[in-house]
Amino acid sequence: MTSSTHYWYTPNRESERLAPFATRESASRGRRFSESHPGYRGEYQRDRDRIVHSAAFRRLEYKTQVFVNHEGDMFRTRLTHSIEVAQIARSIARVLGLNEDLTEAITLAHDLGHTPFGHAGQDALNDCMKNYGGFEHNFQSLRVVDELEERYAEFAGLNLTFETREGILKHCSRERAAALGELGERFLKHGQPTLEAQLANVADEIAYNNHDVDDGLRAGLISIEQLCEVDLFSSQYELVKEAYPQLSERRSIHEVVRRMINQQVTDLIESTHQRLEEKTPDSVDAVRALGDRLVGFSEGMQHKHHALKSFLRLNLYQHYRVRRMTAKAGRILAALFVAFFDDPRLLPPETQEKMRRKEARAGESGRARAVADYIAGMTDRYAIREYERVYNPAHLT
Ligand code: MG
């Protein structure tokens, strides 16, 4: 070996950079189909790379967070949201000595199962599926990486490690958990996921609450005056106004939002560090066995964070203009579901084939699941186009 060998990736060096409670790939529960070691990458890096190269990841660019994709180029999409979550989570992972690669893989995959049109789409699809096992976007993210991505020669799905899949599955009914084997165990035994998974979850909330403030203001759906009711916003807004009285509104907003994120991230790091000092888990299994989560805000910040969430729910997500969009989105997906379920011949041949396989296995539920998978995989604009193709008599191709 040459003298540069020590710069190369070697998994056993993880003990030097990771805290005892971090997830180590050397102690991974592995992949469902065993594969040889990826060579010059770690196992979680390989997970991350497979996620980035998946079709579902690329489609996130044209899926909505709150605003419909075509409303404007300045708004967040699920893709930019996922990147923001990964950025926030990785910064925190590094300072706490957690596994940054695993954190990145979980955060980039966390929204892969989202339907078009955000939560409106998920609710509509769940309604269509109520007699067939329901539809839940978080569980769908797991299905995307476990079976729906058909790309590799030797297995369905991306064949990710247990720990990445564990992090993707944030919640789960007891019924589903029982069918998932080892992955579902923690939902039956009230255990916790790894700290990296806990972190991905909170980073998701920090990202969307803060960027929804930014996007909501940009769209003119909420105002600075309204936001001044919210402690997290008003305290930073006053500081920015005092320090930079001449600053334009747009720059002031960005300055406030970045300070809000920083304040929440700092609190999260310090509070989590304190809990880790108190509980001193000495391994990832000790973390899993604890009754409570260790990654989280202080009580005071939790309260403020909750107030921001409530504000957004009331003033942004329930805004009549947002509701008009979500009602329309729900109708589009429900109509597509009915059309395809009633007459599968309207589906592309490849999807019909998948439906036949699912129907042979699970009857009508299998047929419904195939339709739901097809619709869930659509981007906003693709769903609108499919609706036009199926229902608009003027659209003859
Ligand atoms: Mg998210």
Side-chain angles (χ1 to χ4, degrees):
M1 284 287 177
T2 65
S3 59
S4 64
T5 307
H6 65 286
Y7 291 118
W8 292 20
Y9 180 85
T10 43
N12 56 11
R13 285 185 61 207
E14 63 182 4
S15 56
E16 294 165 23
R17 54 186 175 88
L18 297 179
F21 39 73
T23 306
R24 290 168 156 69
E25 70 165 71
S26 50
S28 171
R29 296 187 185 176
R31 301 176 189 274
R32 294 203 292 171
F33 304 93
S34 72
E35 293 184 64
S36 51
H37 189 271
Y40 300 115
R41 288 178 292 174
E43 298 285 0
Y44 302 131
Q45 281 179 284
R46 171 149 74 180
D47 281 2
R48 187 264 329 271
D49 298 347
R50 285 184 178 177
I51 291 157
V52 169
H53 287 274
S54 70
F57 186 73
R58 286 196 293 281
R59 288 196 211 112
L60 293 176
E61 184 177 0
Y62 299 104
K63 290 201 183 198
T64 300
Q65 190 69 23
V66 175
F67 302 91
V68 170
N69 182 260
H70 59 257
E71 281 187 350
D73 295 342
M74 297 298 281
F75 297 110
R76 266 76 174 181
T77 66
R78 286 218 177 264
L79 181 64
T80 61
H81 161 70
S82 300
I83 294 169
E84 286 184 28
V85 178
Q87 176 272 313
I88 290 170
R90 283 184 57 193
S91 304
I92 300 167
R94 192 179 297 185
V95 74
L96 291 174
L98 300 180
N99 195 313
E100 216 175 308
D101 296 330
L102 174 61
T103 305
E104 188 179 18
I106 297 169
T107 49
L108 291 179
H110 86 281
D111 270 353
L112 288 180
H114 257 292
T115 60
F117 310 125
H119 286 275
Q122 123 95 31
D123 293 346
L125 214 48
N126 188 34
D127 229 32
C128 298
M129 291 293 288
K130 64 177 181 289
N131 297 324
Y132 310 110
F135 180 91
E136 207 276 302
H137 68 82
N138 179 237
F139 185 64
Q140 188 74 358
S141 295
L142 183 70
R143 293 190 63 239
V144 167
V145 301
D146 276 0
E147 68 176 288
L148 298 179
E149 281 285 324
E150 293 181 329
R151 311 172 64 76
Y152 294 85
E154 299 197 355
F155 42 79
L158 306 179
N159 197 32
L160 303 181
T161 60
F162 177 90
E163 294 73 26
T164 300
R165 297 169 62 234
E166 174 188 28
I168 291 172
L169 193 63
K170 286 192 279 194
H171 35 80
C172 189
S173 66
R174 291 184 70 81
E175 197 183 4
R176 257 184 200 144
L180 281 172
E182 196 184 6
L183 196 69
E185 261 174 29
R186 83 170 196 267
F187 301 100
L188 303 171
K189 294 181 177 166
H190 305 291
Q192 303 303 328
T194 63
L195 293 169
E196 288 80 0
Q198 296 180 30
L199 171 56
N201 207 359
V202 188
D204 184 22
E205 291 203 20
I206 295 176
Y208 70 67
N209 284 317
N210 291 288
H211 66 47
D212 286 354
V213 166
D214 191 31
D215 282 352
L217 285 167
R218 193 190 302 277
L221 296 171
I222 48 177
S223 65
I224 289 175
E225 292 68 42
Q226 281 177 304
L227 268 162
C228 282
E229 296 166 20
V230 180
D231 192 291
L232 268 175
F233 185 91
S234 62
S235 53
Q236 300 299 336
Y237 185 68
E238 277 159 28
L239 289 174
V240 170
K241 275 282 142 204
E242 206 178 289
Y244 309 101
Q246 303 303 327
L247 200 62
S248 74
E249 188 169 275
R250 195 62 246 162
R251 283 175 75 174
S252 302
I253 292 167
H254 182 261
E255 192 60 36
V256 172
V257 171
R258 84 167 182 93
R259 286 165 185 237
M260 285 167 68
I261 296 174
N262 190 44
Q263 193 188 4
Q264 288 164 76
V265 166
T266 305
D267 180 275
L268 186 72
I269 292 168
E270 288 169 3
S271 312
T272 303
H273 179 71
Q274 200 179 332
R275 279 185 215 109
L276 285 163
E277 297 262 281
E278 281 162 21
K279 303 276 180 183
T280 58
D282 58 1
S283 69
V284 66
D285 282 330
V287 169
R288 286 185 173 118
L290 287 168
D292 292 308
R293 294 196 168 201
L294 298 182
V295 179
F297 296 121
S298 65
E299 215 176 295
M301 182 55 78
Q302 184 60 39
H303 191 72
K304 289 180 187 176
H305 185 79
H306 190 77
L308 173 62
K309 270 175 95 154
S310 305
F311 172 89
L312 288 170
R313 197 177 312 123
L314 194 68
N315 297 288
L316 181 61
Y317 312 140
Q318 302 294 339
H319 191 286
Y320 82 97
R321 276 169 53 202
V322 174
R323 288 210 70 104
R324 281 184 185 183
M325 184 209 77
T326 55
K328 204 158 38 180
R331 278 196 292 273
I332 290 175
L333 291 203
L336 284 177
F337 186 90
V338 170
F340 296 138
F341 186 78
D342 289 351
D343 188 356
R345 291 169 304 178
L346 304 182
L347 289 164
E350 204 186 291
T351 312
Q352 285 189 41
E353 178 50 37
K354 283 180 195 165
M355 176 188 269
R356 271 193 288 276
R357 273 186 271 145
K358 285 196 169 85
E359 202 167 2
R361 262 202 322 266
E364 216 172 49
S365 293
R367 174 176 173 153
R369 185 62 59 194
V371 175
D373 286 344
Y374 179 57
I375 294 174
M378 293 177 186
T379 60
D380 295 4
R381 59 184 187 174
Y382 189 81
I384 293 168
R385 261 190 245 144
E386 280 286 81
Y387 180 84
E388 285 285 306
R389 287 186 198 114
V390 172
Y391 283 102
N392 186 351
H395 207 295
L396 292 175
T397 52

PDB file of all heavy atoms in Angstrom, residues 336-365:
ATOM      1  N   LEU A 336     -58.885  10.483 -10.682  1.00  0.00           N
ATOM      2  CA  LEU A 336     -57.939   9.578 -11.345  1.00  0.00           C
ATOM      3  C   LEU A 336     -58.071   8.168 -10.779  1.00  0.00           C
ATOM      4  O   LEU A 336     -58.053   7.180 -11.513  1.00  0.00           O
ATOM      5  CB  LEU A 336     -56.497  10.075 -11.181  1.00  0.00           C
ATOM      6  CG  LEU A 336     -56.076  11.262 -12.050  1.00  0.00           C
ATOM      7  CD1 LEU A 336     -54.645  11.680 -11.703  1.00  0.00           C
ATOM      8  CD2 LEU A 336     -56.188  10.934 -13.541  1.00  0.00           C
ATOM      9  N   PHE A 337     -58.206   8.104  -9.453  1.00  0.00           N
ATOM     10  CA  PHE A 337     -58.312   6.785  -8.819  1.00  0.00           C
ATOM     11  C   PHE A 337     -59.535   6.031  -9.358  1.00  0.00           C
ATOM     12  O   PHE A 337     -59.437   4.872  -9.758  1.00  0.00           O
ATOM     13  CB  PHE A 337     -58.401   6.930  -7.289  1.00  0.00           C
ATOM     14  CG  PHE A 337     -58.365   5.611  -6.577  1.00  0.00           C
ATOM     15  CD1 PHE A 337     -57.154   5.061  -6.188  1.00  0.00           C
ATOM     16  CD2 PHE A 337     -59.536   4.900  -6.325  1.00  0.00           C
ATOM     17  CE1 PHE A 337     -57.109   3.824  -5.554  1.00  0.00           C
ATOM     18  CE2 PHE A 337     -59.496   3.660  -5.692  1.00  0.00           C
ATOM     19  CZ  PHE A 337     -58.272   3.128  -5.307  1.00  0.00           C
ATOM     20  N   VAL A 338     -60.673   6.697  -9.391  1.00  0.00           N
ATOM     21  CA  VAL A 338     -61.911   6.066  -9.864  1.00  0.00           C
ATOM     22  C   VAL A 338     -61.746   5.595 -11.312  1.00  0.00           C
ATOM     23  O   VAL A 338     -62.080   4.454 -11.661  1.00  0.00           O
ATOM     24  CB  VAL A 338     -63.107   7.053  -9.749  1.00  0.00           C
ATOM     25  CG1 VAL A 338     -64.341   6.508 -10.457  1.00  0.00           C
ATOM     26  CG2 VAL A 338     -63.410   7.320  -8.286  1.00  0.00           C
ATOM     27  N   ALA A 339     -61.209   6.473 -12.158  1.00  0.00           N
ATOM     28  CA  ALA A 339     -61.064   6.129 -13.578  1.00  0.00           C
ATOM     29  C   ALA A 339     -60.197   4.887 -13.759  1.00  0.00           C
ATOM     30  O   ALA A 339     -60.564   3.965 -14.494  1.00  0.00           O
ATOM     31  CB  ALA A 339     -60.464   7.316 -14.331  1.00  0.00           C
ATOM     32  N   PHE A 340     -59.066   4.835 -13.078  1.00  0.00           N
ATOM     33  CA  PHE A 340     -58.127   3.718 -13.278  1.00  0.00           C
ATOM     34  C   PHE A 340     -58.605   2.437 -12.586  1.00  0.00           C
ATOM     35  O   PHE A 340     -58.401   1.343 -13.087  1.00  0.00           O
ATOM     36  CB  PHE A 340     -56.729   4.081 -12.768  1.00  0.00           C
ATOM     37  CG  PHE A 340     -56.090   5.211 -13.535  1.00  0.00           C
ATOM     38  CD1 PHE A 340     -55.399   6.217 -12.869  1.00  0.00           C
ATOM     39  CD2 PHE A 340     -56.158   5.258 -14.921  1.00  0.00           C
ATOM     40  CE1 PHE A 340     -54.803   7.252 -13.575  1.00  0.00           C
ATOM     41  CE2 PHE A 340     -55.568   6.292 -15.638  1.00  0.00           C
ATOM     42  CZ  PHE A 340     -54.888   7.300 -14.963  1.00  0.00           C
ATOM     43  N   PHE A 341     -59.223   2.607 -11.436  1.00  0.00           N
ATOM     44  CA  PHE A 341     -59.686   1.416 -10.715  1.00  0.00           C
ATOM     45  C   PHE A 341     -60.838   0.753 -11.484  1.00  0.00           C
ATOM     46  O   PHE A 341     -60.894  -0.464 -11.612  1.00  0.00           O
ATOM     47  CB  PHE A 341     -60.132   1.800  -9.292  1.00  0.00           C
ATOM     48  CG  PHE A 341     -60.492   0.614  -8.449  1.00  0.00           C
ATOM     49  CD1 PHE A 341     -59.503  -0.170  -7.871  1.00  0.00           C
ATOM     50  CD2 PHE A 341     -61.829   0.273  -8.224  1.00  0.00           C
ATOM     51  CE1 PHE A 341     -59.827  -1.281  -7.095  1.00  0.00           C
ATOM     52  CE2 PHE A 341     -62.164  -0.831  -7.450  1.00  0.00           C
ATOM     53  CZ  PHE A 341     -61.160  -1.606  -6.886  1.00  0.00           C
ATOM     54  N   ASP A 342     -61.740   1.581 -12.004  1.00  0.00           N
ATOM     55  CA  ASP A 342     -62.892   1.039 -12.733  1.00  0.00           C
ATOM     56  C   ASP A 342     -62.503   0.462 -14.090  1.00  0.00           C
ATOM     57  O   ASP A 342     -63.124  -0.484 -14.557  1.00  0.00           O
ATOM     58  CB  ASP A 342     -63.960   2.129 -12.935  1.00  0.00           C
ATOM     59  CG  ASP A 342     -64.654   2.473 -11.623  1.00  0.00           C
ATOM     60  OD1 ASP A 342     -64.410   1.752 -10.632  1.00  0.00           O
ATOM     61  OD2 ASP A 342     -65.420   3.451 -11.587  1.00  0.00           O
ATOM     62  N   ASP A 343     -61.509   1.061 -14.717  1.00  0.00           N
ATOM     63  CA  ASP A 343     -61.126   0.573 -16.039  1.00  0.00           C
ATOM     64  C   ASP A 343     -59.596   0.566 -16.199  1.00  0.00           C
ATOM     65  O   ASP A 343     -59.011   1.499 -16.749  1.00  0.00           O
ATOM     66  CB  ASP A 343     -61.761   1.458 -17.124  1.00  0.00           C
ATOM     67  CG  ASP A 343     -61.536   0.869 -18.504  1.00  0.00           C
ATOM     68  OD1 ASP A 343     -60.834  -0.170 -18.615  1.00  0.00           O
ATOM     69  OD2 ASP A 343     -62.069   1.439 -19.477  1.00  0.00           O
ATOM     70  N   PRO A 344     -58.969  -0.508 -15.718  1.00  0.00           N
ATOM     71  CA  PRO A 344     -57.500  -0.571 -15.747  1.00  0.00           C
ATOM     72  C   PRO A 344     -56.919  -0.478 -17.161  1.00  0.00           C
ATOM     73  O   PRO A 344     -55.734  -0.191 -17.313  1.00  0.00           O
ATOM     74  CB  PRO A 344     -57.192  -1.940 -15.141  1.00  0.00           C
ATOM     75  CG  PRO A 344     -58.402  -2.326 -14.384  1.00  0.00           C
ATOM     76  CD  PRO A 344     -59.566  -1.681 -15.070  1.00  0.00           C
ATOM     77  N   ARG A 345     -57.760  -0.674 -18.173  1.00  0.00           N
ATOM     78  CA  ARG A 345     -57.236  -0.573 -19.545  1.00  0.00           C
ATOM     79  C   ARG A 345     -56.780   0.849 -19.872  1.00  0.00           C
ATOM     80  O   ARG A 345     -56.112   1.078 -20.868  1.00  0.00           O
ATOM     81  CB  ARG A 345     -58.307  -1.031 -20.549  1.00  0.00           C
ATOM     82  CG  ARG A 345     -58.589  -2.532 -20.475  1.00  0.00           C
ATOM     83  CD  ARG A 345     -59.807  -2.886 -21.276  1.00  0.00           C
ATOM     84  NE  ARG A 345     -60.975  -2.111 -20.829  1.00  0.00           N
ATOM     85  CZ  ARG A 345     -62.180  -2.178 -21.375  1.00  0.00           C
ATOM     86  NH1 ARG A 345     -62.405  -2.979 -22.395  1.00  0.00           N
ATOM     87  NH2 ARG A 345     -63.178  -1.457 -20.911  1.00  0.00           N
ATOM     88  N   LEU A 346     -57.147   1.813 -19.036  1.00  0.00           N
ATOM     89  CA  LEU A 346     -56.692   3.196 -19.253  1.00  0.00           C
ATOM     90  C   LEU A 346     -55.252   3.402 -18.772  1.00  0.00           C
ATOM     91  O   LEU A 346     -54.660   4.439 -19.017  1.00  0.00           O
ATOM     92  CB  LEU A 346     -57.602   4.183 -18.500  1.00  0.00           C
ATOM     93  CG  LEU A 346     -59.105   4.143 -18.792  1.00  0.00           C
ATOM     94  CD1 LEU A 346     -59.819   5.216 -17.991  1.00  0.00           C
ATOM     95  CD2 LEU A 346     -59.382   4.326 -20.288  1.00  0.00           C
ATOM     96  N   LEU A 347     -54.731   2.409 -18.085  1.00  0.00           N
ATOM     97  CA  LEU A 347     -53.365   2.538 -17.534  1.00  0.00           C
ATOM     98  C   LEU A 347     -52.334   2.132 -18.586  1.00  0.00           C
ATOM     99  O   LEU A 347     -52.613   1.306 -19.454  1.00  0.00           O
ATOM    100  CB  LEU A 347     -53.209   1.621 -16.316  1.00  0.00           C
ATOM    101  CG  LEU A 347     -53.970   2.032 -15.054  1.00  0.00           C
ATOM    102  CD1 LEU A 347     -54.042   0.859 -14.080  1.00  0.00           C
ATOM    103  CD2 LEU A 347     -53.308   3.227 -14.392  1.00  0.00           C
ATOM    104  N   PRO A 348     -51.121   2.691 -18.476  1.00  0.00           N
ATOM    105  CA  PRO A 348     -50.057   2.249 -19.377  1.00  0.00           C
ATOM    106  C   PRO A 348     -49.812   0.740 -19.185  1.00  0.00           C
ATOM    107  O   PRO A 348     -49.995   0.229 -18.068  1.00  0.00           O
ATOM    108  CB  PRO A 348     -48.829   3.045 -18.909  1.00  0.00           C
ATOM    109  CG  PRO A 348     -49.346   4.115 -18.028  1.00  0.00           C
ATOM    110  CD  PRO A 348     -50.677   3.708 -17.520  1.00  0.00           C
ATOM    111  N   PRO A 349     -49.407   0.021 -20.240  1.00  0.00           N
ATOM    112  CA  PRO A 349     -49.278  -1.450 -20.174  1.00  0.00           C
ATOM    113  C   PRO A 349     -48.416  -1.944 -19.003  1.00  0.00           C
ATOM    114  O   PRO A 349     -48.775  -2.921 -18.346  1.00  0.00           O
ATOM    115  CB  PRO A 349     -48.608  -1.802 -21.500  1.00  0.00           C
ATOM    116  CG  PRO A 349     -48.882  -0.655 -22.400  1.00  0.00           C
ATOM    117  CD  PRO A 349     -49.096   0.559 -21.558  1.00  0.00           C
ATOM    118  N   GLU A 350     -47.323  -1.252 -18.729  1.00  0.00           N
ATOM    119  CA  GLU A 350     -46.433  -1.687 -17.643  1.00  0.00           C
ATOM    120  C   GLU A 350     -47.158  -1.640 -16.293  1.00  0.00           C
ATOM    121  O   GLU A 350     -46.999  -2.514 -15.445  1.00  0.00           O
ATOM    122  CB  GLU A 350     -45.225  -0.744 -17.629  1.00  0.00           C
ATOM    123  CG  GLU A 350     -43.982  -1.326 -17.013  1.00  0.00           C
ATOM    124  CD  GLU A 350     -42.904  -0.262 -16.923  1.00  0.00           C
ATOM    125  OE1 GLU A 350     -42.399   0.143 -17.991  1.00  0.00           O
ATOM    126  OE2 GLU A 350     -42.583   0.160 -15.791  1.00  0.00           O
ATOM    127  N   THR A 351     -47.969  -0.599 -16.109  1.00  0.00           N
ATOM    128  CA  THR A 351     -48.720  -0.467 -14.860  1.00  0.00           C
ATOM    129  C   THR A 351     -49.836  -1.520 -14.807  1.00  0.00           C
ATOM    130  O   THR A 351     -50.127  -2.071 -13.746  1.00  0.00           O
ATOM    131  CB  THR A 351     -49.307   0.963 -14.737  1.00  0.00           C
ATOM    132  OG1 THR A 351     -48.273   1.894 -15.036  1.00  0.00           O
ATOM    133  CG2 THR A 351     -49.840   1.238 -13.356  1.00  0.00           C
ATOM    134  N   GLN A 352     -50.442  -1.806 -15.958  1.00  0.00           N
ATOM    135  CA  GLN A 352     -51.456  -2.867 -15.999  1.00  0.00           C
ATOM    136  C   GLN A 352     -50.862  -4.201 -15.573  1.00  0.00           C
ATOM    137  O   GLN A 352     -51.475  -4.980 -14.854  1.00  0.00           O
ATOM    138  CB  GLN A 352     -52.002  -3.015 -17.428  1.00  0.00           C
ATOM    139  CG  GLN A 352     -52.956  -1.922 -17.837  1.00  0.00           C
ATOM    140  CD  GLN A 352     -53.629  -2.240 -19.175  1.00  0.00           C
ATOM    141  OE1 GLN A 352     -54.008  -3.380 -19.428  1.00  0.00           O
ATOM    142  NE2 GLN A 352     -53.773  -1.238 -20.027  1.00  0.00           N
ATOM    143  N   GLU A 353     -49.637  -4.448 -16.021  1.00  0.00           N
ATOM    144  CA  GLU A 353     -48.948  -5.702 -15.684  1.00  0.00           C
ATOM    145  C   GLU A 353     -48.704  -5.787 -14.171  1.00  0.00           C
ATOM    146  O   GLU A 353     -48.953  -6.815 -13.545  1.00  0.00           O
ATOM    147  CB  GLU A 353     -47.636  -5.763 -16.491  1.00  0.00           C
ATOM    148  CG  GLU A 353     -46.759  -6.981 -16.245  1.00  0.00           C
ATOM    149  CD  GLU A 353     -47.509  -8.311 -16.333  1.00  0.00           C
ATOM    150  OE1 GLU A 353     -48.405  -8.438 -17.192  1.00  0.00           O
ATOM    151  OE2 GLU A 353     -47.208  -9.213 -15.515  1.00  0.00           O
ATOM    152  N   LYS A 354     -48.250  -4.672 -13.609  1.00  0.00           N
ATOM    153  CA  LYS A 354     -48.023  -4.648 -12.149  1.00  0.00           C
ATOM    154  C   LYS A 354     -49.342  -4.883 -11.419  1.00  0.00           C
ATOM    155  O   LYS A 354     -49.395  -5.560 -10.397  1.00  0.00           O
ATOM    156  CB  LYS A 354     -47.469  -3.276 -11.737  1.00  0.00           C
ATOM    157  CG  LYS A 354     -46.003  -3.105 -12.061  1.00  0.00           C
ATOM    158  CD  LYS A 354     -45.526  -1.739 -11.620  1.00  0.00           C
ATOM    159  CE  LYS A 354     -44.190  -1.418 -12.248  1.00  0.00           C
ATOM    160  NZ  LYS A 354     -43.822  -0.013 -12.151  1.00  0.00           N
ATOM    161  N   MET A 355     -50.397  -4.283 -11.951  1.00  0.00           N
ATOM    162  CA  MET A 355     -51.703  -4.445 -11.323  1.00  0.00           C
ATOM    163  C   MET A 355     -52.136  -5.913 -11.364  1.00  0.00           C
ATOM    164  O   MET A 355     -52.626  -6.432 -10.363  1.00  0.00           O
ATOM    165  CB  MET A 355     -52.740  -3.571 -12.021  1.00  0.00           C
ATOM    166  CG  MET A 355     -54.133  -3.763 -11.466  1.00  0.00           C
ATOM    167  SD  MET A 355     -55.346  -2.896 -12.443  1.00  0.00           S
ATOM    168  CE  MET A 355     -55.375  -1.332 -11.593  1.00  0.00           C
ATOM    169  N   ARG A 356     -51.939  -6.563 -12.502  1.00  0.00           N
ATOM    170  CA  ARG A 356     -52.329  -7.980 -12.607  1.00  0.00           C
ATOM    171  C   ARG A 356     -51.604  -8.819 -11.557  1.00  0.00           C
ATOM    172  O   ARG A 356     -52.198  -9.671 -10.912  1.00  0.00           O
ATOM    173  CB  ARG A 356     -52.014  -8.514 -14.014  1.00  0.00           C
ATOM    174  CG  ARG A 356     -53.184  -8.311 -14.988  1.00  0.00           C
ATOM    175  CD  ARG A 356     -52.987  -9.116 -16.267  1.00  0.00           C
ATOM    176  NE  ARG A 356     -51.937  -8.556 -17.106  1.00  0.00           N
ATOM    177  CZ  ARG A 356     -52.133  -7.547 -17.970  1.00  0.00           C
ATOM    178  NH1 ARG A 356     -53.317  -7.003 -18.112  1.00  0.00           N
ATOM    179  NH2 ARG A 356     -51.136  -7.078 -18.701  1.00  0.00           N
ATOM    180  N   ARG A 357     -50.314  -8.526 -11.376  1.00  0.00           N
ATOM    181  CA  ARG A 357     -49.538  -9.292 -10.380  1.00  0.00           C
ATOM    182  C   ARG A 357     -50.082  -9.044  -8.973  1.00  0.00           C
ATOM    183  O   ARG A 357     -50.251  -9.974  -8.185  1.00  0.00           O
ATOM    184  CB  ARG A 357     -48.062  -8.895 -10.449  1.00  0.00           C
ATOM    185  CG  ARG A 357     -47.267  -9.709 -11.481  1.00  0.00           C
ATOM    186  CD  ARG A 357     -45.796  -9.368 -11.405  1.00  0.00           C
ATOM    187  NE  ARG A 357     -45.493  -8.248 -12.284  1.00  0.00           N
ATOM    188  CZ  ARG A 357     -44.595  -7.295 -12.046  1.00  0.00           C
ATOM    189  NH1 ARG A 357     -43.934  -7.296 -10.918  1.00  0.00           N
ATOM    190  NH2 ARG A 357     -44.370  -6.337 -12.914  1.00  0.00           N
ATOM    191  N   LYS A 358     -50.357  -7.777  -8.671  1.00  0.00           N
ATOM    192  CA  LYS A 358     -50.853  -7.447  -7.319  1.00  0.00           C
ATOM    193  C   LYS A 358     -52.257  -8.013  -7.109  1.00  0.00           C
ATOM    194  O   LYS A 358     -52.597  -8.469  -6.031  1.00  0.00           O
ATOM    195  CB  LYS A 358     -50.858  -5.930  -7.117  1.00  0.00           C
ATOM    196  CG  LYS A 358     -49.468  -5.347  -6.894  1.00  0.00           C
ATOM    197  CD  LYS A 358     -49.546  -3.938  -6.321  1.00  0.00           C
ATOM    198  CE  LYS A 358     -48.200  -3.424  -5.827  1.00  0.00           C
ATOM    199  NZ  LYS A 358     -47.367  -2.830  -6.863  1.00  0.00           N
ATOM    200  N   GLU A 359     -53.057  -7.972  -8.154  1.00  0.00           N
ATOM    201  CA  GLU A 359     -54.430  -8.464  -8.046  1.00  0.00           C
ATOM    202  C   GLU A 359     -54.435  -9.983  -7.843  1.00  0.00           C
ATOM    203  O   GLU A 359     -55.229 -10.511  -7.069  1.00  0.00           O
ATOM    204  CB  GLU A 359     -55.218  -8.087  -9.307  1.00  0.00           C
ATOM    205  CG  GLU A 359     -56.711  -8.072  -9.079  1.00  0.00           C
ATOM    206  CD  GLU A 359     -57.493  -7.408 -10.223  1.00  0.00           C
ATOM    207  OE1 GLU A 359     -56.869  -6.989 -11.218  1.00  0.00           O
ATOM    208  OE2 GLU A 359     -58.717  -7.329 -10.108  1.00  0.00           O
ATOM    209  N   ALA A 360     -53.518 -10.673  -8.508  1.00  0.00           N
ATOM    210  CA  ALA A 360     -53.435 -12.131  -8.366  1.00  0.00           C
ATOM    211  C   ALA A 360     -53.090 -12.491  -6.921  1.00  0.00           C
ATOM    212  O   ALA A 360     -53.536 -13.493  -6.385  1.00  0.00           O
ATOM    213  CB  ALA A 360     -52.381 -12.682  -9.327  1.00  0.00           C
ATOM    214  N   ARG A 361     -52.280 -11.640  -6.287  1.00  0.00           N
ATOM    215  CA  ARG A 361     -51.846 -11.906  -4.904  1.00  0.00           C
ATOM    216  C   ARG A 361     -52.883 -11.486  -3.879  1.00  0.00           C
ATOM    217  O   ARG A 361     -53.108 -12.167  -2.897  1.00  0.00           O
ATOM    218  CB  ARG A 361     -50.546 -11.144  -4.626  1.00  0.00           C
ATOM    219  CG  ARG A 361     -49.304 -11.963  -4.769  1.00  0.00           C
ATOM    220  CD  ARG A 361     -48.123 -11.372  -3.984  1.00  0.00           C
ATOM    221  NE  ARG A 361     -48.046  -9.922  -3.985  1.00  0.00           N
ATOM    222  CZ  ARG A 361     -47.311  -9.216  -4.852  1.00  0.00           C
ATOM    223  NH1 ARG A 361     -46.618  -9.823  -5.776  1.00  0.00           N
ATOM    224  NH2 ARG A 361     -47.264  -7.902  -4.766  1.00  0.00           N
ATOM    225  N   ALA A 362     -53.512 -10.332  -4.101  1.00  0.00           N
ATOM    226  CA  ALA A 362     -54.334  -9.759  -3.026  1.00  0.00           C
ATOM    227  C   ALA A 362     -55.720  -9.318  -3.480  1.00  0.00           C
ATOM    228  O   ALA A 362     -56.389  -8.556  -2.780  1.00  0.00           O
ATOM    229  CB  ALA A 362     -53.574  -8.585  -2.394  1.00  0.00           C
ATOM    230  N   GLY A 363     -56.178  -9.792  -4.615  1.00  0.00           N
ATOM    231  CA  GLY A 363     -57.532  -9.473  -5.076  1.00  0.00           C
ATOM    232  C   GLY A 363     -57.754  -7.988  -5.299  1.00  0.00           C
ATOM    233  O   GLY A 363     -56.856  -7.280  -5.741  1.00  0.00           O
ATOM    234  N   GLU A 364     -58.935  -7.520  -4.904  1.00  0.00           N
ATOM    235  CA  GLU A 364     -59.305  -6.126  -5.153  1.00  0.00           C
ATOM    236  C   GLU A 364     -58.369  -5.140  -4.446  1.00  0.00           C
ATOM    237  O   GLU A 364     -58.075  -4.063  -4.968  1.00  0.00           O
ATOM    238  CB  GLU A 364     -60.746  -5.900  -4.697  1.00  0.00           C
ATOM    239  CG  GLU A 364     -61.480  -4.945  -5.599  1.00  0.00           C
ATOM    240  CD  GLU A 364     -62.972  -4.854  -5.295  1.00  0.00           C
ATOM    241  OE1 GLU A 364     -63.320  -4.689  -4.105  1.00  0.00           O
ATOM    242  OE2 GLU A 364     -63.766  -4.939  -6.240  1.00  0.00           O
ATOM    243  N   SER A 365     -57.898  -5.542  -3.253  1.00  0.00           N
ATOM    244  CA  SER A 365     -56.966  -4.664  -2.528  1.00  0.00           C
ATOM    245  C   SER A 365     -55.674  -4.491  -3.316  1.00  0.00           C
ATOM    246  O   SER A 365     -55.084  -3.407  -3.328  1.00  0.00           O
ATOM    247  CB  SER A 365     -56.607  -5.247  -1.166  1.00  0.00           C
ATOM    248  OG  SER A 365     -57.723  -5.244  -0.346  1.00  0.00           O
TER     249      SER A 365
END
